[in-house]
Amino acid sequence: MEQTPTKLEMFYEGKAKKLYSTPDPDLVIAYFKDDATAFNAKKRGTIEHKGVINNQMSELFFTLLERSGIPTHFVRRLNDRDMLCKRLQIVPVETVVRNVVAGSMAKRLGREEGENLPFPIVEYYYKSDPLDDPLILPEHALAFGWATQEELDQIKSMALRVNEVLSRFLDERGVLLVDFKLEFGRHHGKILLGDEICPDTCRFWDKATRQKLDKDRFRRDLGGVEEAYQEMLRRVSN
Ligand code: TMP
């Protein structure tokens, strides 16, 4: 039985997780909260059991991605709400991959939600709460030193690979992967996939009915939020 590392100090609290240092400087513990926010925390609430579900679902997806050759920060799940991860120096760029028009893309470009894209589109957003995470070009990340060209190339190819692996896995479980957001970071000079992969960070639609099984139920007050998270966990666990 592997020893459970102790949590030392909390060094970061985000909207959905708290991060703790451990005796090993290379490892951190992520604690998954039930807090839910939307629109840069202008809307706040809780989604019961969300932390437990997102921890489990992230474990499942990270394990799948690692098996498919995509390096991630995931080490192991410690308990219901704690995940042991490699410590990352986060690249301040959020990477979004889209297969179907939805959310901010529909709004920005005046397109109908649900339109299939002819190929996956990768977008980048600058991670900045005061600026509401604006859409950027990869050139902005280069010009302002947020990432090197080599890192951006790796991030794009890893994001597209994640899309292939997750889309296929979810399709087999009756789920359409509409879009999702990824975060990457550096660990001993290597780019690893970080953060979490869950209904907070992805749009999941039932393939047959197009019913939303993700955080849009919270963002848009559609009801059935907890049930949607449970249903997604059930589908990916089979
Ligand atoms: P968007 O359509 O609002 O730009 O969202 C694209 C994807 O990114 C969607 O799957 C939800 C996810 N996302 C986050 O994980 N965090 C965020 O802060 C936002 C705005 C979106």
Side-chain angles (χ1 to χ4, degrees):
M1 200 47 201
E2 272 177 291
Q3 248 192 314
T4 299
T6 35
K7 279 182 190 162
L8 298 178
E9 77 176 293
M10 185 182 87
F11 63 93
Y12 178 81
E13 177 160 12
K15 297 184 190 103
K17 292 187 293 304
K18 294 179 187 180
L19 295 182
Y20 295 86
S21 57
T22 71
D24 183 338
D26 273 343
L27 298 176
V28 303
I29 294 173
Y31 173 89
F32 286 72
K33 306 191 279 186
D34 284 349
D35 300 357
T37 63
F39 316 117
N40 198 11
K42 286 185 221 23
K43 179 185 173 99
R44 287 172 184 277
T46 47
I47 300 174
E48 215 158 324
H49 310 301
K50 171 169 94 80
V52 178
I53 293 172
N54 287 358
N55 189 17
Q56 256 177 267
M57 206 182 297
S58 295
E59 172 190 32
L60 201 142
F61 285 142
F62 282 136
T63 306
L64 172 70
L65 293 171
E66 287 276 355
R67 268 197 266 121
S68 311
I70 298 153
T72 79
H73 71 155
F74 175 75
V75 178
R76 67 193 148 90
R77 189 166 63 82
L78 298 173
N79 55 47
D80 266 5
R81 289 181 186 271
D82 290 315
M83 177 183 282
L84 187 65
C85 302
K86 293 176 185 160
R87 186 188 280 267
L88 296 183
Q89 185 200 9
I90 283 287
V91 174
V93 173
E94 300 190 349
T95 303
V96 169
V97 182
R98 300 181 186 272
N99 298 305
V100 174
V101 175
S104 72
M105 176 185 251
K107 209 167 166 186
R108 182 178 302 113
L109 302 179
R111 312 287 306 191
E112 203 62 44
E113 265 205 338
E115 177 182 349
N116 283 327
L117 291 165
F119 47 83
I121 294 181
V122 183
E123 295 177 343
Y124 305 94
Y125 294 82
Y126 176 39
K127 223 172 129 59
S128 164
D129 283 339
L131 299 177
D132 277 344
D133 296 353
L135 179 69
I136 59 165
L137 299 174
E139 283 81 357
H140 292 119
L142 260 187
F144 301 123
W146 299 330
T148 65
Q149 185 62 59
E150 193 191 350
E151 287 172 338
L152 289 171
D153 291 345
Q154 274 184 50
I155 285 172
K156 184 171 184 186
S157 70
M158 282 167 76
L160 287 170
R161 186 76 188 112
V162 169
N163 188 43
E164 284 172 11
V165 173
L166 294 188
S167 292
R168 173 178 306 187
F169 177 85
L170 290 163
D171 182 72
E172 287 163 0
R173 287 154 183 83
V175 176
L176 175 65
L177 181 59
V178 171
D179 58 32
F180 57 94
K181 184 263 295 182
L182 301 175
E183 297 197 26
F184 294 89
R186 306 173 187 98
H187 182 82
H188 293 295
K190 196 176 164 189
I191 290 285
L192 303 182
L193 176 62
D195 198 40
E196 60 186 309
I197 306 178
C198 61
D200 281 16
T201 62
C202 304
R203 285 196 174 92
F204 299 127
W205 291 358
D206 179 87
K207 230 166 58 175
T209 65
R210 300 224 146 188
Q211 189 196 358
K212 296 183 198 323
L213 297 170
D214 56 60
K215 194 176 166 190
D216 270 348
R217 304 205 73 85
F218 170 79
R219 295 188 188 99
R220 303 177 188 190
D221 295 320
L222 300 175
V225 185
E226 282 89 7
E227 292 80 358
Y229 278 64
Q230 298 279 6
E231 172 63 13
M232 270 311 299
L233 182 62
R234 193 188 65 74
R235 293 212 194 178
V236 298
S237 303
N238 282 324

